[in-house]
C-alpha cells in the first residue's frame, strides 16, 4: 500500500503525470493513508482515474490551506499599512502610465496610417519625368491599399493592373519622357511577366518613348531578362551574374517522409495525368507527368527564346545552341553574345538617361515612382476617364476552399485562398449592380475543393445569364479553376497560363502504424454499419470502402467532363481525350479547344465591353470583392508589414523553403477525405 503521507500533492502529480505544470494549487503535505481512504470512499472514488486523484489532491490542499496560524510579521502594524498603501499607489501610477503610453502609441499609428494612405493629394509629375519601375519580388493580381508598405517603400504591393495601367497612362502623358525599369529578384510567375512585357511593348509602339532596363550587381536571371527584352536598351553591372542556361522545374516527393512516420496515403483518382497525388506515393515522376511537364517547359522555353530573338535581333536557333553548348553566367559573356546593350554601373545608366533627355552632365533627372504614378488619374494623363459604361472585374485568386476567404497574412503575403462564400458575395454584387454592364471573371487559381468549385461556378453561371461575362486566365486556371471558367462562353488565356487539369482525386491517410507503434495509442469502436467510420485515419480502407470512394470520385469526374463539354461545344468523349487530369499551357489549350483566344486582362475587358455594346476606349472598370473598411485594412496592413519585416530579418531562404514544405504537408492533412479538383503540383519554372 502506498504511504500517501510521504508525498505532497505536487509530488504525487509528478509521479502520475511526469509534470506539475498544470497543477493549479500546491497540495498540503502530511496526510495519512487512512485519511486518504476515507476521503475517497466517502465520495465513491475507490477506482478513480489519475486525473480524479489529482483533482482530489487539489481539493484537499484548499481545504487545509486555512488551517494553522500565520507566522508573525517582523514589521509593526502601521508600517505594514503604509507599505500596502504605497505599493497600491505605485501600481496605480504604473498602470496609468502604461495605459497612456498604449493609447498614445495607437493614436500615433492611426495618424501615421491616415497620413500615409491619404489619396487626396495627387502625385506631382514634373515635365520631362521618367517613370521608374523598380520591380522586385512578386507582382500580385490584387494588392489592398497598405499604408505601412508604402511608408516603408515596399514596391511589391503594386498590383498587376496598376503596373499595366501606369504604362498605358505614361504612353499618353506628355509629361513622361520614358520608362526606366530597374529589376532585382523578380519572382512573379511567367504569365504575369508576359502581361507586363506586352504592356511595355505597347508603351513603346504607341508612344515612341524610350525604355531602358538595368540591373545592379545583383544581376539578371531569366525572369528579369525576359522583361528586359521589351526595352530598347539593356544594361547590366560589370562582373554581375547573368543567367541564360535554360529552364527547369523541381518536384518534391514525400513518400519517404510518410514511411518514416508510419503514415500511408491511400489515393483514389480519376485521370491518368492527375498527378497531384504523386508526391505522396512516389519518389520520382511518372511517365505521364514527365510528359506533360516536358511540354510545359518546352512552351515556356519557346516563348522566352522568341522574346529574346524579337528584342535583340538574334535567331532562335542560335540562341538555343548558345544555351546547349555554353550557358551564359555573367554579364561580360552576355555582352559578347549580344544579349545586352552594355555594361554600366548605376551612375552610368543615369548618364545614358541624361543623353536621351538632352540634359547636362550632373543635371538632376526628374522621375516618378511606379506606385505614385499608378495613383495619377487617367484624365490627367490625357486618357478618357470613363463614362461610356462600366465593366466589373471579379477576382478568384488562390486555392479554392469552402466558406469565406481567409485573411491570413502569414509571412506578410496576401491570402492564397478564395472562399466560395466570399466569391458568391462578390459575384452577386457585380450581377445586381445597375451600373455594371459586363463582367470579367479573372481566375488565378490552381483549383481546390470540388464542392466549392461547383458552388462558385453556379454563381458565375447566374451572372452570365444576365450580363455578358468573359473569363480572363492569369497564371493558373486549372482543375477547379477551369471548372469555374466553364460558366462563360468566352475564355481568354495567356500563352503561358497553366490550365486544364480536368480530373479529380481524393486522399485518405492511414495513420494506424503512427498511432500504434510511435505513440502507443490503440482504438476500438462500436458501429451500426461496416462503413460508418469511412475515412477513419486509425485504420486502412477496406475493399468495400475503396469501391465506394472510387465510384464517388468517378461520378465527380463525369460531371466535370459534362460541364466542359456543354461549355466548349464538344462531346464528352472528346473532352475525356484531352482531359484525364492533363495540364495544358494557354497556347496548347487554344489548340485543343479549351480556350478561345490568347490575350491579356485588358484584352478580356475589351471583349466584354464590345459584347455589352460599349466603347472599350471609354469604358470604366470596377473590381470585386470590394476593398475592406479602412480600419480593417489598417490592422491587416500593420500585421502584414510586421510579419514581412520579421521574416526577412530572422530567416534565411532555406528556412523559408522548409516552412513552405511544412505548410504543404499541413494543407494535405486538411484535404483528408475530400474530393479535390486541384493542379497536380505547385509548378515553378526557374
Amino acid at each position: 500500500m502506498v504511504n500517501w503521507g510521504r508525498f505532497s500533492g505536487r509530488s504525487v502529480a509528478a509521479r502520475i503525470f511526469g509534470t506539475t505544470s498544470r497543477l493549479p494549487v500546491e497540495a498540503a503535505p502530511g496526510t495519512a493513508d487512512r485519511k486518504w481512504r476515507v476521503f475517497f470512499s466517502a465520495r465513491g472514488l475507490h477506482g478513480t482515474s489519475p486525473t480524479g486523484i489529482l483533482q482530489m489532491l487539489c481539493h484537499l490542499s484548499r481545504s487545509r490551506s486555512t488551517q494553522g496560524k500565520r507566522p508573525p510579521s517582523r514589521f509593526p502594524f502601521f508600517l505594514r499599512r503604509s507599505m500596502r498603501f504605497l505599493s497600491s499607489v505605485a501600481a496605480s501610477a504604473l498602470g496609468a502610465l502604461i495605459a497612456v503610453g498604449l493609447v498614445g502609441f495607437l493614436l500615433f499609428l492611426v495618424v501615421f496610417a491616415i497620413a500615409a494612405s491619404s489619396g487626396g493629394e495627387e502625385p506631382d509629375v514634373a515635365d520631362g519625368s521618367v517613370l521608374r519601375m523598380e520591380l522586385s519580388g512578386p507582382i500580385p493580381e490584387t494588392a489592398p491599399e497598405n499604408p505601412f508598405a508604402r511608408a516603408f517603400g515596399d514596391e511589391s504591393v503594386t498590383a498587376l493592373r496598376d503596373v499595366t495601367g501606369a504604362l498605358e497612362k505614361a504612353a499618353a502623358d506628355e509629361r513622361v519622357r520614358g520608362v526606366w525599369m530597374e529589376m532585382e529578384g523578380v519572382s512573379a510567375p511567367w504569365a504575369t511577366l508576359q502581361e507586363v512585357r506586352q504592356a511595355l511593348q505597347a508603351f513603346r509602339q504607341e508612344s515612341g518613348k524610350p525604355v531602358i532596363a538595368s540591373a545592379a550587381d545583383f544581376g539578371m536571371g531569366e525572369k528579369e531578362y525576359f522583361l528586359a527584352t521589351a526595352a530598347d536598351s539593356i544594361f547590366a553591372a560589370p562582373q554581375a551574374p547573368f543567367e541564360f542556361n535554360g529552364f527547369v522545374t523541381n518536384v518534391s516527393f514525400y513518400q519517404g517522409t510518410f514511411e518514416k512516420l508510419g503514415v500511408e496515403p491511400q489515393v483514389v483518382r480519376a485521370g491518368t495525368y492527375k498527378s497531384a497525388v504523386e508526391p505522396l506515393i512516389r519518389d520520382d515522376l511518372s511517365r505521364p507527368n514527365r510528359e506533360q511537364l516536358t511540354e510545359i517547359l518546352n512552351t515556356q522555353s519557346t516563348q522566352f527564346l522568341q522574346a529574346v530573338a524579337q528584342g535583340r535581333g538574334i535567331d532562335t536557333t542560335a540562341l538555343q545552341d548558345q544555351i546547349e553548348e555554353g550557358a551564359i553566367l555573367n554579364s561580360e559573356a552576355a555582352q559578347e553574345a549580344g544579349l545586352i546593350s552594355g555594361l554600366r554601373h548605376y551612375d552610368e545608366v543615369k548618364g545614358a538617361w541624361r543623353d536621351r533627355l538632352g540634359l547636362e552632365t550632373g543635371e538632376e533627372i526628374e522621375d516618378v515612382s511606379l506606385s505614385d504614378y499608378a495613383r495619377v488619374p487617367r484624365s490627367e494623363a490625357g486618357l478618357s476617364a470613363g463614362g461610356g459604361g462600366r465593366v466589373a472585374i471579379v477576382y478568384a485568386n488562390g486555392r479554392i476552399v469552402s466558406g469565406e476567404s481567409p485573411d491570413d497574412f502569414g509571412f506578410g503575403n496576401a491570402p492564397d485562398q478564395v472562399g466560395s462564400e466570399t466569391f458568391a458575395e462578390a459575384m452577386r454584387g457585380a450581377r445586381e449592380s445597375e451600373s455594371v454592364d459586363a463582367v470579367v471573371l479573372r481566375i488565378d487559381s490552381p483549383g481546390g475543393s470540388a464542392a466549392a468549385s461547383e458552388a462558385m461556378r453556379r454563381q458565375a453561371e447566374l451572372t452570365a445569364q444576365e450580363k455578358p461575362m468573359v473569363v480572363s486566365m492569369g497564371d493558373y486556371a486549372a482543375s477547379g479553376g477551369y471548372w469555374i471558367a466553364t460558366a462563360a462562353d468566352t475564355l481568354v488565356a495567356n500563352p503561358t497560363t497553366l490550365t486544364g487539369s480536368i480530373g479529380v482525386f481524393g486522399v485518405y491517410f492511414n495513420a494506424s502504424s503512427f498511432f500504434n507503434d510511435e505513440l502507443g495509442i490503440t482504438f476500438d469502436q462500436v458501429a451500426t454499419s461496416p462503413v460508418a467510420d469511412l475515412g477513419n485515419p486509425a485504420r486502412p480502407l477496406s475493399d468495400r470502402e475503396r469501391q465506394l470512394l472510387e465510384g464517388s470520385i468517378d461520378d465527380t469526374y463525369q460531371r466535370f467532363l459534362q460541364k466542359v463539354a456543354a461549355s466548349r461545344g464538344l462531346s464528352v468523349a472528346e473532352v475525356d481525350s484531352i482531359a484525364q487530369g492533363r495540364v495544358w499551357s494557354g497556347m496548347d489549350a487554344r489548340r485543343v479547344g479549351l480556350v478561345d483566344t490568347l490575350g491579356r486582362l485588358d484584352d478580356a475587358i475589351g471583349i466584354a465591353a464590345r459584347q455589352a455594346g460599349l466603347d472599350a476606349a471609354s469604358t470604366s472598370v470596377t473590381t470585386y470583392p470590394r476593398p475592406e473598411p479602412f480600419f480593417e485594412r489598417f490592422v491587416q496592413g500593420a500585421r502584414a508589414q510586421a510579419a514581412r519585416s520579421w521574416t526577412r530579418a530572422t530567416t534565411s531562404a532555406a528556412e523559408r523553403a522548409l516552412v513552405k514544405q511544412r505548410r504543404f504537408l499541413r494543407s494535405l492533412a486538411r484535404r483528408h477525405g475530400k474530393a479535390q479538383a486541384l493542379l497536380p503540383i505547385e509548378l515553378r519554372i526557374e
Side-chain angles (χ1 to χ4, degrees), residues 257-264 510-515 518:
T257 302
F258 286 118
E259 288 177 353
K260 291 180 182 295
L261 293 174
V263 176
E264 177 196 7
N510 170 26
S512 56
S513 295
F514 175 72
F515 286 127
E518 302 297 331

Side-chain angles (χ1 to χ4, degrees), residues 239-575:
Q239 301 297 320
F242 192 96
E243 192 174 10
F244 190 80
N245 58 347
F247 296 95
V248 65
T249 184
N250 293 293
V251 182
S252 300
F253 293 90
Y254 303 93
Q255 181 186 38
T257 302
F258 286 118
E259 288 177 353
K260 291 180 182 295
L261 293 174
V263 176
E264 177 196 7
Q266 302 167 105
V267 172
V268 181
R269 61 176 168 174
T272 304
Y273 292 89
K274 198 64 179 178
S275 52
V277 295
E278 284 191 4
L280 312 182
I281 59 177
R282 295 179 61 94
D283 57 11
D284 62 356
L285 295 171
S286 67
R287 184 197 59 79
N289 196 15
R290 187 177 297 276
E291 175 187 343
Q292 69 178 351
L293 291 180
T294 300
E295 288 294 327
I296 291 170
L297 279 180
N298 287 339
T299 299
Q300 178 56 57
S301 179
T302 299
Q303 292 287 310
F304 177 78
L305 293 178
Q306 288 177 351
V308 176
Q310 180 188 37
R312 304 303 302 170
I314 306 174
D315 183 70
T316 55
T317 303
L319 292 171
Q320 184 63 45
D321 292 341
Q322 178 71 59
I323 291 175
E324 294 177 357
E325 296 175 3
I328 294 174
L329 301 178
N330 59 67
S331 57
E332 280 76 9
Q335 183 186 27
E336 292 178 4
L339 298 180
I340 61 176
S341 305
L343 303 176
R344 298 199 180 188
H345 293 286
Y346 175 79
D347 60 297
E348 294 174 318
V349 177
K350 294 184 73 174
W353 268 116
R354 290 190 183 94
D355 294 339
R356 291 289 186 97
L357 300 175
L359 302 178
E360 298 294 332
T361 302
E363 191 173 348
E364 192 64 29
I365 300 173
E366 296 286 350
D367 60 46
V368 57
S369 71
L370 175 63
S371 58
D372 283 341
Y373 193 72
R375 295 185 291 120
V376 172
R378 290 173 57 87
S379 58
E380 187 177 323
L383 295 174
S384 171
R390 177 170 296 181
V391 174
I393 304 176
V394 179
Y395 285 95
N397 299 337
R399 190 165 60 85
I400 298 170
V401 298
S402 298
E404 297 184 352
S405 301
D407 61 350
D408 180 14
F409 282 78
F411 295 95
N413 296 319
D416 59 355
Q417 296 178 348
V418 53
S420 56
E421 293 181 5
T422 303
F423 177 84
E425 182 180 356
M427 189 58 75
R428 279 195 301 269
R431 181 171 65 246
E432 296 173 358
S433 174
E434 295 182 357
S435 63
V436 172
D437 301 291
V439 176
V440 171
L441 172 53
R442 176 68 169 182
I443 301 174
D444 186 17
S445 171
S449 165
S453 298
E454 170 57 19
M456 295 167 66
R457 187 205 66 83
R458 176 57 179 169
Q459 290 297 322
E461 182 181 49
L462 292 175
T463 300
Q465 292 173 358
E466 297 187 16
K467 298 178 180 181
M469 187 175 76
V470 175
V471 164
S472 171
M473 298 181 177
D475 300 306
Y476 304 97
S479 206
Y482 191 83
W483 190 314
I484 300 171
T486 60
D489 294 329
T490 305
L491 276 59
V492 181
N494 192 283
T496 52
T497 295
L498 298 182
T499 188
S501 190
I502 302 168
V504 187
F505 73 92
V507 180
Y508 303 82
F509 292 97
N510 170 26
S512 56
S513 295
F514 175 72
F515 286 127
N516 299 343
D517 301 336
E518 302 297 331
L519 301 181
I521 300 175
T522 58
F523 301 89
D524 202 353
Q525 65 182 15
V526 176
T528 59
S529 79
V531 294
D533 66 335
L534 177 65
N536 185 349
R539 65 173 181 81
L541 293 171
S542 66
D543 293 339
R544 172 59 177 160
E545 289 172 331
R546 182 171 286 276
Q547 291 177 356
L548 291 172
L549 294 173
E550 287 175 349
S552 176
I553 293 295
D554 189 62
D555 287 343
T556 304
Y557 178 58
Q558 291 300 320
R559 288 196 297 271
F560 201 167
L561 294 178
Q562 292 167 5
K563 293 184 183 303
V564 175
S567 172
R568 306 309 302 162
L570 302 171
S571 68
V572 172
E574 288 174 325
V575 174

Side-chain angles (χ1 to χ4, degrees), residues 1 3 47 78 85 87 156 197 258-259 303 313 361 410 416 522 602:
M1 180 177 293
N3 182 7
F78 74 92
F85 173 75
S87 63
S156 67
R197 186 179 183 278
F258 286 118
E259 288 177 353
Q303 292 287 310
T361 302
D416 59 355
T522 58
D602 287 341

Side-chain angles (χ1 to χ4, degrees), residues 167-246:
L167 288 170
E168 181 186 6
K169 289 184 292 187
D173 196 338
E174 295 180 355
R175 299 169 299 177
V176 177
R177 298 282 302 278
V179 172
W180 184 1
M181 186 165 47
E182 301 175 89
M183 297 170 293
E184 179 179 323
V186 175
S187 61
W190 286 98
T192 295
L193 297 179
Q194 196 152 39
E195 292 221 13
V196 175
R197 186 179 183 278
Q198 290 170 348
L200 286 165
Q201 289 179 305
F203 169 84
R204 288 184 60 191
Q205 293 171 0
E206 294 172 6
S207 68
K209 301 173 183 178
V211 177
I212 293 180
S214 68
D217 54 357
F218 189 83
M220 277 191 187
E222 272 105 346
K223 289 187 173 181
E224 290 86 0
Y225 186 61
F226 180 71
L227 290 177
T229 58
D232 50 316
S233 297
I234 306 174
F235 299 117
Q239 301 297 320
F242 192 96
E243 192 174 10
F244 190 80
N245 58 347

